[in-house]
Amino acid sequence: MLLLAGQSDPAAGAVFLLVWGLAVIIFGGAFATKRGAAGIRSLIVKGLERNPQQQTGARAVSEGFVRFVGGSLAICGMVAVPVSLVMLTRG
């Protein structure tokens, strides 16, 4: 995301990075909670009803993995927001 933001116009890239960072903090934080992880996992399993082999594989993934991915996304957002603010202030 940082490379993509740096290749376009500096102001547009910083705004994009700020919006992306805030969205990732919100959704990653939601997935990092127990209820959010259970909800997204059940949504994925229900979406794979037509393919029982993939549905079995999705059920085998633990909620801990979903929480890890959500937490990692939230950390990426926490890094992206300050970087975008620095990019906006430097012009």
Side-chain angles (χ1 to χ4, degrees):
M1 288 294 135
L2 292 173
L3 291 174
L4 181 65
Q7 289 177 356
S8 63
D9 179 36
V15 172
F16 168 76
L17 192 60
L18 179 66
V19 171
W20 180 84
L22 291 174
V24 168
I25 288 173
I26 292 168
F27 289 111
F31 293 165
T33 63
K34 284 186 180 183
R35 188 168 28 169
I40 192 67
R41 185 172 170 264
S42 68
L43 181 71
I44 291 170
V45 170
K46 286 180 186 176
L48 294 172
E49 286 179 349
R50 294 183 182 173
N51 193 339
Q53 190 175 25
Q54 287 184 347
Q55 190 177 32
T56 305
R59 282 191 181 130
V61 175
S62 68
E63 288 181 12
F65 178 72
V66 177
R67 293 180 72 188
F68 172 75
V69 170
S72 299
L73 285 173
I75 290 171
C76 291
M78 288 180 202
V79 170
V81 169
V83 168
S84 67
L85 292 175
V86 167
M87 288 173 66
L88 282 171
T89 57
R90 290 191 180 173

